[in-house]
Amino acid sequence: MNGPLIEVRDLEVTFETGGRGLFDRRRAPLRAVDGVSFDIRRGETVGLVGESGSGKTTVGRALLRALDPTAGQVLLHGPEGTIELSALAEAALRAVRPRMSLVFQDPYSSLNPRMTVRDIIAEPLVATGLLRDRAEIDARVREIAARCKLDLEHLRRFPHAFSGGQRQRICIARALVARPDFVVCDESVSALDVSIQAEIVNLLHELQQETGVSFLFIAHDLSVVAQISRRVAVMYVGRFVEYAPTEALFFAPRHPYTHALLSAVPQPDPDLGFHPDRLEGEIPDPSEPSPGCRFHSRCRFARAACRDVVPAWREIAPEHFVACHFAEELDLARARP
């Protein structure tokens, strides 16, 4: 595996809440992302999982500078050196845009119904000025369309003529037409049938092998994440609680929250039964987080230290990071078929 393409250091994204109206009470800023650090290597897929509202999409948007980080660094490495994306002004950022892209969740609303497939795929080339000659643009569009298993006759049609899986292939072609180094896939298969999900995941894997592109794959479906990702990060209320190689995370989770997520995945063998680790209690308010571990109010292993002391983010095994005071003591390993 090559060196890091993206490095994220102590990333924070906060949003102001309340205080705009005459009688609105000003609240503390909502810390959607709070001190996240990780890296994505060249040609690697990193999965990002967690409950809704945990901050996954905000991380992806901050990496692409669709949102400006409140603090921290996002570094993009390349042959010409290292670029700090989080500090770039708009003009400089515009020049770097072709190196990053996004595949949206909904393949229906993310395509302009009044544009042909050819124009949709070509839009990043035109918007960034990467190519200006129409013949060169057409050649690039036909190349990426073929790689995404779209027929050339499809390029003359409009989005309404395609199924959900075909539309997502169009979205992937649009994301990759500028030959980016890095793509964020934000719930990009969640709106599709299971069989179509498998096709899209296989397509992403093939495209990665051919082009060397790196993916941040955001999803709720852990089985899909396990299939496509080399490493997986687990997020809870704005923070990472575990980050590890996929096999280590799925077969030997070291954080109680990771274990609870894995226990909720149904088993394909009905004889194994289904025994999810049910989480009780409320998810804490990210604008008023507890002083200790944010998961302690729902953790059945919580102790006094969990309520008062923030657990350190530490490496407990090669490439296996966790934020839990008692990760070495808890036996969370769970046999999986």
Side-chain angles (χ1 to χ4, degrees), residues 164-245:
Q166 289 173 318
R167 293 188 191 195
Q168 198 61 291
R169 292 177 187 273
I170 296 169
C171 294
I172 293 171
R174 177 179 59 185
L176 296 179
V177 70
R179 297 174 181 169
D181 299 322
F182 170 62
V183 176
V184 174
C185 297
D186 188 5
E187 298 282 1
S188 54
V189 298
S190 62
L192 306 175
D193 294 338
V194 174
S195 59
I196 306 302
Q197 284 184 2
E199 292 180 8
I200 296 300
V201 168
N202 291 335
L203 174 63
L204 291 174
H205 182 70
E206 292 173 10
L207 291 170
Q208 186 174 61
Q209 296 298 312
E210 295 173 6
T211 65
V213 65
S214 300
F215 292 115
L216 176 65
F217 193 85
I218 301 170
H220 285 93
D221 192 333
L222 294 177
S223 60
V224 175
V225 171
Q227 182 180 352
I228 195 173
S229 305
R230 181 184 178 273
R231 291 184 290 171
V232 179
V234 181
M235 196 167 188
Y236 184 75
V237 194
R239 288 181 178 170
F240 282 4
V241 296
E242 193 162 2
Y243 184 44

Side-chain angles (χ1 to χ4, degrees), residues 10 20 30 52 99 106 108 110 156 164 167 171 198 217-218 223 244 246 258-259 269 300 317:
D10 300 320
R20 294 185 177 181
L30 190 151
S52 296
R99 297 183 59 183
D106 188 353
Y108 294 89
S110 61
R156 299 190 297 269
R167 293 188 191 195
C171 294
F217 193 85
I218 301 170
S223 60
T246 302
T258 307
H259 177 265
D269 186 352
R300 57 191 175 94

Side-chain angles (χ1 to χ4, degrees), residues 148-159:
C148 292
K149 298 178 173 56
L150 293 168
D151 296 335
L152 294 183
E153 65 179 36
H154 292 164
L155 300 179
R156 299 190 297 269
R157 300 180 185 176
F158 291 87

Side-chain angles (χ1 to χ4, degrees), residues 27 53 60 64 89 96 132 138-139 167 176 183 225 228 245 256 302 309:
R27 304 176 61 194
L64 297 174
V96 183
R132 300 185 183 277
D138 287 340
R167 293 188 191 195
L176 296 179
V183 176
V225 171
I228 195 173
V309 182

Side-chain angles (χ1 to χ4, degrees), residues 248-307:
L249 188 102
F250 275 74
F251 283 88
R254 306 304 294 270
H255 194 282
Y257 179 63
T258 307
H259 177 265
L261 291 181
L262 294 174
S263 71
V265 178
Q267 298 296 328
D269 186 352
D271 294 333
L272 293 176
F274 181 54
H275 308 287
D277 186 2
R278 291 182 173 83
L279 298 178
E280 299 180 355
E282 297 293 330
I283 299 175
D285 185 349
S287 63
E288 298 177 355
S290 61
C293 174
R294 296 186 177 180
F295 185 62
H296 83 267
S297 61
R298 307 174 72 193
C299 179
R300 57 191 175 94
F301 303 102
R303 307 178 193 177
C306 302
R307 291 189 292 271

